[in-house]
Amino acid sequence: MQFRTEIQPLEGCRGTIVHGDPILLLGSCFSDNIGRLLADDLFDVSVNPFGPLYNPVSILHVLRMVENGTGEDRFCSADGYYFTHDAHSRISARTPDDLRQKMERTLGQTRSLIEGGADVIITLGTTRLFSLVADGQPVANCHKQPGYLFTERMLCLGETVDTLEEIVAIVRRLNPEARLILTVSPLRYPGRDPHANTISKSVLHLAEDEIIRRHEGLTYFPAFEIMTDDLRDYRFYADDMRHPSEKGVAYIYEKFSQSFFSEPTMELARQARRLTRRLQHRTDSPRDIASWPEMSVVRSNPQINDAFQRYLSSCSLTPIR
């Protein structure tokens, strides 16, 4: 007897994602989870360059700026740092000029990724939307400012569909051949009203389904269903009972890999992971790392070299040539 519903890998998508081709992830913090594992497997990945963006309107707003090439000076400050209401607090600086330059640099890099053929993976988290009372404009993050500065509402289905439609249009204007993968974050937002979380996730599901029906080259990946129908157990949630645990994320990533990687890509990813895991627990000097047997995967697969050098930088190591 079978006592669980196992979600099977998607059919017809094998080989979509390969090493050396750029990947851009935008959306909720679940994008960070999947993006971290893609980076560990030495894919050429840019993960939430504006920090986590939880609702579709915030994603649309940054993509409009990406297309236009300029940001908006919607800044606030706290504890000696400046932040923008158009991005997560990861985008911060000591002065407004530095923040403006950082934002414009990130906008340019993101545009180059999309124009360069990046696969775009968008994870929607919620329809909950905050806006500034002062100008009525939506914000991507409240940056722990007083609640009275913001209004809060939930996006309706029509708004969500229209927002996704414009997101797809912008990406396709920058790259008509762009492939998009849409998903709904399994992160729970029960808050004071668990029913509101159910409504929010339902709207996101319906909106993504509608957009995928309208456009070629869009794919839905069932991260939400894998978490809630396949794993379906609090053992796979973190201590806060909202975020997926590391084991839960790893299982979802396994299904993602089986859906979008070819067999050679999966084997290369496994070899790359052995190298990055050793780097995470290194005791050797950078000079000694070059002699590791695991380094053979980089020498024999030049398509992962750039991702490897970035990984070294993330570990505060100098590049190895």
Side-chain angles (χ1 to χ4, degrees), residues 3 16-17 49 55 59 68 93 102-103 118 129 160 166 176-177 179 184 190 195 197 209 247 272 281 290-291 293:
F3 293 100
T16 302
I17 293 177
N55 67 77
I59 296 172
N68 295 332
K102 181 179 288 189
M103 192 68 175
L129 180 68
T160 308
E166 189 172 349
E177 304 301 319
R179 295 177 302 205
V184 174
H195 183 55
N197 175 70
D209 183 68
K247 186 174 292 185
H281 299 91
S291 66

Side-chain angles (χ1 to χ4, degrees), residues 42-217:
L42 296 183
F43 286 92
D44 184 6
V45 61
S46 174
V47 184
N48 275 344
F50 304 94
L53 303 171
Y54 299 98
N55 67 77
V57 170
S58 295
I59 296 172
L60 171 59
H61 190 65
V62 297
L63 285 175
R64 284 173 174 167
M65 292 189 293
V66 165
E67 184 178 33
N68 295 332
T70 57
E72 300 175 10
D73 291 353
R74 304 176 65 211
F75 298 165
C76 61
S77 62
D79 301 323
Y81 284 88
Y82 285 85
F83 308 93
T84 170
H85 283 300
D86 296 323
H88 189 268
S89 55
R90 292 179 193 169
I91 306 291
S92 63
R94 288 291 189 180
T95 70
D97 283 343
D98 287 346
L99 178 58
R100 190 176 300 111
Q101 292 175 17
K102 181 179 288 189
M103 192 68 175
E104 289 183 357
R105 184 167 57 250
T106 305
L107 290 170
Q109 291 169 345
T110 304
R111 177 171 183 137
S112 295
L113 274 173
I114 298 174
E115 290 178 332
D119 291 311
V120 181
I121 303 174
I122 295 177
T123 303
L124 302 183
T126 182
T127 58
R128 191 182 186 193
L129 180 68
F130 290 89
S131 300
L132 272 173
V133 172
D135 60 11
Q137 294 299 307
V139 299
N141 199 288
C142 297
H143 301 301
K144 299 182 179 179
Q145 292 184 288
Y148 65 80
L149 295 175
F150 306 93
T151 59
E152 176 187 351
R153 69 182 182 89
M154 305 296 280
L155 297 170
C156 70
L157 177 58
E159 289 176 294
T160 308
V161 170
D162 291 345
T163 300
L164 283 176
E165 185 69 53
E166 189 172 349
I167 287 172
V168 173
I170 290 173
V171 172
R172 289 280 168 82
R173 283 197 295 269
L174 295 175
N175 177 12
E177 304 301 319
R179 295 177 302 205
L180 290 90
I181 298 171
L182 304 181
T183 190
V184 174
S185 170
L187 172 63
R188 300 169 63 243
Y189 295 93
R192 297 184 300 272
D193 186 356
H195 183 55
N197 175 70
T198 302
I199 297 292
S200 175
K201 297 292 188 183
S202 298
V203 168
L204 297 177
H205 281 292
L206 289 168
E208 289 191 352
D209 183 68
E210 175 63 25
I211 291 300
I212 289 170
R213 290 173 185 272
R214 293 181 184 181
H215 298 276
E216 296 289 334

Side-chain angles (χ1 to χ4, degrees), residues 219-273:
T219 304
Y220 175 76
F221 176 70
F224 182 89
E225 291 80 358
I226 294 170
M227 190 71 194
T228 58
D229 291 334
D230 190 338
L231 298 180
R232 201 180 182 89
D233 194 306
Y234 277 110
R235 290 178 299 164
F236 300 105
Y237 283 91
D239 289 344
D240 64 4
M241 294 297 142
R242 296 172 59 241
H243 292 78
S245 67
E246 287 191 15
K247 186 174 292 185
V249 171
Y251 183 79
I252 295 171
Y253 182 69
E254 182 179 285
K255 295 294 185 182
F256 181 89
S257 303
Q258 293 168 353
S259 296
F260 296 106
F261 301 174
S262 66
E263 284 297 334
T265 297
M266 292 182 72
E267 177 56 30
L268 180 54
R270 283 190 285 267
Q271 295 180 41
R273 179 70 64 90

Side-chain angles (χ1 to χ4, degrees), residues 286 309 312-313 316-320:
Q309 302 303 334
L312 288 175
S313 297
S316 301
L317 291 169
T318 55
I320 298 175

